[in-house]
């Protein structure tokens, strides 16, 4: 098979995959760009609401805080708390899903008296954007068809990147102008092709990083493969399904949150910025605790603490991880470019927002190729009858 035949076949694959994935990739790109600075946007929107006046008295312990909240049946069952070391920061409280499957909004609470300050602005908007980005708002969320569709679309993006690179490969591969300089003097199909190929070359490394990191959220086999490749520890046992009851005796014990909180503070020490407490659901025996060590990066220690006795069951400290395990722990930072700091986040945001450009130019190129391949219509001659 000659090179021209290979490129013809690749062009067909590139076109078919591109047409099938263009709309979904555009949606995922735009929503990903919107979420790039979600934390900063929400912090700006809720700066006044999330700020409290520091007092001489100590903040309420989590157990007392939850007891005051649960006195109001309208709030629902508390599922998680986010507590900051900053004495002027409100506590963020998240609630368990309601009986109809809905997810109540979180609330901000005064840590000194348990008074509900309000619902964070922008939370429902970003929650919808996140569901659209990950699952296309399809029923079932992560357990429905949306997760499989977005995962297959990301695989399609990898096919587009590889096939596009091969199709672009010029005879003079060392010419930087051919690779990186758009032909602005062209118009119509020539300009569309130049923008599609040159900007695609610029952004190819970023899209490849986004795709390869994003697949870990879509496929268990891919995530397990990364763990096998990068981690020195055996894969963790699968987590029990939501609502699945733990059969251990500890699961029958009442929640001793004071003991859990004391253990969490002892293990986190003075290194944490925020502590997240995920309360056990469905009779689970352990409280999961995340100790965030950095405000702008996904760096944290994680603990599992016995819900009934406050005994430390397991600890995963970021400082103890190998290089590969740190990569696994920071897949989200890699996915959004924050591993490179603010410049990386801005660059990845712009790359994601540019995704619709390839959908539009790719569609225009496909339509122009169809017109060029259309056989010319024969010229119809009209023979006149004598006398007409």
């Amino acid at each position: 098979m000659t090179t021209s035949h290979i490129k013809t076949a690749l062009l067909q694959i590139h076109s078919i995959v591109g047409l099938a994935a263009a709309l979904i990739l555009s949606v995922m790109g735009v929503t990903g760009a919107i979420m790039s600075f979600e934390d900063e946007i929400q912090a700006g929107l809720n700066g006044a609401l999330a700020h409290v006046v520091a007092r001489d008295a100590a903040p309420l312990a989590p157990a007392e805080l939850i007891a005051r909240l649960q006195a109001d049946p309208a709030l629902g069952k508390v599922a998680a708390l986010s507590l900051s070391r900053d004495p002027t920061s409100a506590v963020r409280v998240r609630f368990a899903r309601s009986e109809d499957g809905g997810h109540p909004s979180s609330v901000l609470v005064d840590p000194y008296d348990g008074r509900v300050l309000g619902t964070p602005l922008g939370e429902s908007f970003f929650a919808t954007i996140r569901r659209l980005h990950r699952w296309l708002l399809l029923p079932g969320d992560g357990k429905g068809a949306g997760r499989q569709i977005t995962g297959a679309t990301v695989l399609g993006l990898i096919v587009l990147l590889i096939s596009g690179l091969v199709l672009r490969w010029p005879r003079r591969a060392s010419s930087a102008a051919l690779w990186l300089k758009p032909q602005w003097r062209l118009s119509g199909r020539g300009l569309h092709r130049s923008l599609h190929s040159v900007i695609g070359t610029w952004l190819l490394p970023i899209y490849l990083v986004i795709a390869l990191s994003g697949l870990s959220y879509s496929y268990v086999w891919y995530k397990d493969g990364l763990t096998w490749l990068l981690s020195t520890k055996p894969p963790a046992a699968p987590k029990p399904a939501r609502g699945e009851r733990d059969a251990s005796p500890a699961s029958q014990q009442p929640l001793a949150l004071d003991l859990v909180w004391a253990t969490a503070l002892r293990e986190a020490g003075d290194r944490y910025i925020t502590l997240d407490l995920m309360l056990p659901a469905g009779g689970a025996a352990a409280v999961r605790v995340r100790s965030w060590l950095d405000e702008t990066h996904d760096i944290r220690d994680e603990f599992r603490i016995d819900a009934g006795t406050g005994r430390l069951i397991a600890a995963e400290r970021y400082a103890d991880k190998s290089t590969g395990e740190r990569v696994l722990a920071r897949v989200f930072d890699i996915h959004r470019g924050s591993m490179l700091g603010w410049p990386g986040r801005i660059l990845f945001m712009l790359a994601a927002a540019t995704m619709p450009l390839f959908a539009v130019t790719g569609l225009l190129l496909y339509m122009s190729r169809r017109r060029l391949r259309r056989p010319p219509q024969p010229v119809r001659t009209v023979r006149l009858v004598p006398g007409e």
Side-chain angles (χ1 to χ4, degrees):
M1 183 179 291
T2 64
T3 302
S4 62
H5 288 119
I6 294 175
K7 288 199 170 186
T8 299
L10 278 178
L11 180 59
Q12 292 295 325
I13 294 173
H14 190 86
S15 300
I16 293 171
V17 174
L19 289 172
L23 179 59
I24 299 176
L25 284 175
S26 297
V27 170
M28 295 174 71
V30 172
T31 52
I34 292 172
M35 292 190 297
S36 294
F37 290 92
E38 175 185 353
D39 293 341
E40 289 76 10
I41 293 172
Q42 289 212 56
L45 290 174
N46 298 288
L49 187 65
H51 180 82
V52 299
V53 178
R55 305 171 199 175
D56 294 333
L60 297 174
E64 177 63 22
L65 195 63
I66 291 176
R68 296 194 182 192
L69 291 171
Q70 300 291 218
D72 184 357
L75 291 176
K77 182 181 179 181
V78 174
L81 300 173
S82 293
L83 304 106
S84 174
R85 285 188 66 190
D86 184 352
T88 65
S89 292
V91 177
R92 188 161 187 164
V93 181
R94 295 176 174 84
F95 299 95
R97 289 183 180 272
S98 57
E99 293 181 359
D100 60 0
H103 205 299
S105 299
S106 65
V107 295
L108 294 173
V109 176
D110 190 316
Y112 297 96
D113 57 18
R115 180 171 53 92
V116 175
L117 303 174
T119 299
L121 297 175
E123 181 181 70
S124 59
F125 170 77
F126 280 108
T128 302
I129 292 296
R130 191 176 302 108
R131 290 180 61 238
L132 179 59
H133 180 78
R134 294 178 176 177
W135 310 307
L136 305 176
L137 297 179
L138 294 177
D141 290 344
K143 297 180 180 179
R147 182 178 184 181
Q148 300 303 316
I149 294 174
T150 54
T153 302
V154 174
L155 288 174
L157 175 59
I158 296 175
V159 172
L160 290 172
L161 295 174
I162 296 174
S163 59
L165 180 64
V166 175
L167 290 170
R168 264 222 86 191
W169 199 272
R171 293 181 179 178
R172 290 184 291 124
S174 60
S175 174
L178 287 175
W179 279 103
L180 304 174
K181 183 179 178 182
Q183 302 298 314
W184 298 110
R185 291 177 295 181
L186 299 176
S187 61
R189 184 173 185 273
L191 179 61
H192 300 156
R193 181 174 182 178
S194 178
L195 292 176
H196 191 86
S197 58
V198 173
I199 298 179
T201 302
W202 291 349
L203 300 180
L204 186 146
I206 296 177
Y207 285 154
L208 196 58
V209 170
I210 291 175
L212 293 177
S213 58
L215 282 175
S216 63
Y217 296 104
S218 296
Y219 297 112
V220 175
W221 58 264
Y222 183 85
K223 186 175 182 179
D224 289 344
L226 286 180
T227 302
W228 174 83
L229 182 65
L230 298 175
S231 177
T232 57
K233 300 176 182 177
K239 297 179 181 178
R242 182 180 294 273
E244 181 179 336
R245 191 167 186 84
D246 193 328
S248 65
S251 68
Q252 308 301 323
Q253 300 181 21
L255 176 61
L257 197 54
D258 287 334
L259 297 176
V260 171
W261 179 237
T263 302
L265 288 177
R266 185 187 71 240
E267 296 299 326
D270 59 357
R271 300 179 301 277
Y272 77 93
I273 295 174
T274 303
L275 280 179
D276 290 348
L277 274 67
M278 279 73 77
L279 304 185
V287 175
R288 292 188 297 127
V289 179
R290 288 178 178 173
S291 173
W292 295 93
L293 309 178
D294 192 300
E295 291 182 321
T296 58
H297 297 92
D298 199 9
I299 299 176
R300 64 183 185 267
D301 296 336
E302 297 200 19
F303 310 104
R304 290 180 66 245
I305 301 174
D306 189 285
T309 64
R311 178 179 58 87
L312 180 66
I313 299 173
E316 291 187 12
R317 302 184 186 277
Y318 185 81
D320 297 335
K321 294 180 182 291
S322 65
T323 301
E325 290 164 349
R326 291 187 181 188
V327 170
L328 290 173
R330 300 187 63 184
V331 166
F332 182 63
D333 279 343
I334 296 171
H335 187 65
R336 65 177 182 168
S338 62
M339 288 283 287
L340 304 175
W342 278 75
R345 291 177 68 181
I346 293 173
L347 190 61
F348 274 54
M349 178 192 70
L350 294 176
T354 307
M355 189 65 76
L357 170 70
F358 300 101
V360 173
T361 55
L363 180 60
L364 291 173
L365 288 171
Y366 174 79
M367 293 172 62
S368 66
R369 283 198 302 272
R370 291 290 302 268
R371 285 195 298 268
L372 291 174
R373 290 173 181 173
R374 188 177 301 162
Q377 298 294 324
V379 179
R380 299 181 61 182
T381 59
V382 179
R383 299 181 63 182
L384 298 178
V385 177
E388 291 186 344

